[in-house]
């Protein structure tokens, strides 16, 4: 738990004074937490942090979760199950409803694609770009659009298949078989890896302020053959492209120009 940033994060290396391991923060013995704080911080800092840590600990340990587990359901039974849960809780998004249907094809979209996608982005230090929470699903699913067109439409691009959340094609994806889903997932993850490597190879980390930078660059590496990649122009594009306060139509035009190398 990083108390400066008020969030849990994965740490490699030495902990700072404002960071407490989860195993200590949530240890069943509160005295373990108290000993850790007062042994590792000065008295003034410890006196300030300890009440905050206790408050966070109490909040987490007293929170109640309800877990619904269901198995061996048909597609229609899964949809009905979600609808029942929706009547008493938070609304399940249409994307999440669609993702449940992939199980029918023996393809777990979370395990096979969404989680590896998010892990790769986090590995390169860009996990904070996943905001709001709904983007945890919509960003990866939207990133599949270029690979879908590359593998299923012979590389023909339609502007409303841009890698943006408003253009997710979950209803098209659920029509694919497991082999096709594996193919577009692998293609997208490969493009994502190339995009992240390109960013670091060219020291462009400071210019990556939106997840769209990564999603568009991923789409570029999916669509454009290695021999046609314009490195200098692509570096310049990443340094200057802006995604703030523009319409979805403008976002689609930006991606269309990018993959056609009109940059």
């Amino acid at each position: 738990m990083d108390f400066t940033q008020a969030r849990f994060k994965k740490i490699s290396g030495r902990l700072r004074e404002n960071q407490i391991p989860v195993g200590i923060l949530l240890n069943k013995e509160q005295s373990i937490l108290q000993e850790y704080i007062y042994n590792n911080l000065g008295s003034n800092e410890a006196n300030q942090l300890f009440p905050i840590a206790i408050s966070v600990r109490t909040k987490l340990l007293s929170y109640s979760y309800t877990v619904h587990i269901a198995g061996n359901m048909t597609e229609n039974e899964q949809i009905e199950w979600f609808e029942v849960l929706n009547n008493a809780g938070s609304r399940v998004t249409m994307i999440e409803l669609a993702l449940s249907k992939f199980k029918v094809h023996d393809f777990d979209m979370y395990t096979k694609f969404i989680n590896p996608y998010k892990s790769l982005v986090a590995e390169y230090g860009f996990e904070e770009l996943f905001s709001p929470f709904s983007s945890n699903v919509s960003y990866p699913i939207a990133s599949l659009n270029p690979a879908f067109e590359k593998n299923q439409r012979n590389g023909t691009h339609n502007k409303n298949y841009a890698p943006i959340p408003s253009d997710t094609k979950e209803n098209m994806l659920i029509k694919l078989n497991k082999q096709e889903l594996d193919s577009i997932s692998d293609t997208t993850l490969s493009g994502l890896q190339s995009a992240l490597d390109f960013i670091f190879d060219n020291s462009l980390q400071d210019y990556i302020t939106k997840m769209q930078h990564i999603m568009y660059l991923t789409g570029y590496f999916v669509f454009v053959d290695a021999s046609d990649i314009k490195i200098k122009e692509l570096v310049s594009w990443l340094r200057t492209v802006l995604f703030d306060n523009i319409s979805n139509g403008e976002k689609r035009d930006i991606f269309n120009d990018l993959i056609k190398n009109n940059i």
Side-chain angles (χ1 to χ4, degrees):
M1 177 68 187
D2 189 311
F3 283 86
T4 299
Q5 299 183 15
R7 71 184 184 91
F8 291 100
K9 59 193 302 186
K10 185 176 182 180
I11 301 296
S12 58
R14 187 175 180 179
L15 298 181
R16 298 197 299 270
E17 289 185 347
N18 60 310
Q19 296 170 340
I20 299 178
V22 174
I24 291 175
L25 177 64
L26 301 180
N27 194 285
K28 64 179 181 179
E29 299 294 339
Q30 183 174 302
S31 60
I32 299 295
L33 171 62
Q34 184 173 355
E35 290 174 5
Y36 180 88
I37 291 179
Y38 281 93
N39 288 339
N40 288 278
L41 279 72
S43 58
N44 289 336
E45 291 81 5
N47 288 335
Q48 291 178 347
L49 182 59
F50 184 62
I52 300 173
I54 291 297
S55 177
V56 172
R57 168 189 170 87
T58 302
K59 178 85 171 175
L60 291 172
L61 293 181
S62 62
Y63 194 90
S64 297
Y65 294 88
T66 300
V67 179
H68 298 270
I69 300 176
N72 299 320
M73 284 185 165
T74 66
E75 180 177 332
N76 289 334
E77 287 173 335
Q78 290 180 44
I79 295 172
E80 183 180 357
W81 180 253
F82 275 117
E83 290 175 347
V84 170
L85 295 181
N86 280 340
N87 290 329
S90 300
R91 189 73 185 171
V92 177
T93 66
M94 292 305 296
I95 292 181
E96 289 171 313
L97 282 172
L99 293 185
S100 71
K101 298 181 180 181
F102 286 109
K103 291 282 191 175
V104 177
H105 303 297
D106 193 29
F107 186 88
D108 189 332
M109 183 59 79
Y110 288 95
T111 301
K112 298 292 185 65
F113 176 70
I114 292 177
N115 292 342
Y117 182 102
K118 291 167 57 181
S119 294
L120 194 54
V121 171
E123 182 181 331
Y124 282 76
F126 295 118
E127 67 270 24
E128 292 185 2
L129 298 182
F130 278 97
S131 179
F133 180 76
S134 58
S135 66
N136 280 272
V137 173
S138 62
Y139 282 170
I141 295 300
S143 294
L144 288 170
N145 285 356
F148 179 86
E149 290 193 304
K150 184 77 172 181
N151 294 2
Q152 299 294 316
R153 295 163 55 92
N154 297 318
T156 301
H157 176 58
N158 186 309
K159 283 189 177 182
N160 67 357
Y161 277 76
I164 57 177
S166 61
D167 287 355
T168 57
K169 304 299 181 187
E170 58 272 12
N171 290 331
M172 298 294 293
L173 295 174
I174 60 177
K175 298 177 182 178
L176 304 180
N177 59 41
K178 184 180 183 300
Q179 183 178 357
E180 292 169 330
L181 290 168
D182 279 328
S183 177
I184 65 170
S185 296
D186 291 344
T187 298
T188 302
L189 291 174
S190 177
L192 176 61
Q193 181 72 69
S194 297
L196 293 167
D197 287 340
F198 182 87
I199 290 169
F200 276 78
D201 289 345
N202 293 278
S203 302
L204 296 166
Q205 298 94 306
D206 292 341
Y207 295 94
I208 309 304
T209 59
K210 300 283 187 181
M211 193 60 198
Q212 281 74 25
H213 288 101
I214 296 174
M215 294 165 69
Y216 277 46
L217 194 58
T218 297
Y220 179 87
F221 282 105
V222 168
F223 261 108
V224 180
D225 294 332
S227 59
D228 294 327
I229 293 175
K230 299 179 179 179
I231 295 179
K232 291 183 178 180
E233 288 83 352
L234 195 55
V235 168
S236 178
W237 178 84
L238 270 176
R239 286 175 173 171
T240 57
V241 66
L242 298 174
F243 291 102
D244 293 318
N245 302 317
I246 61 174
S247 67
N248 286 334
E250 290 172 299
K251 292 177 182 178
R252 295 181 182 109
D253 287 337
I254 290 174
F255 183 68
N256 185 65
D257 290 340
L258 174 65
I259 62 175
K260 295 183 182 301
N261 268 323
N262 295 327
I263 54 176

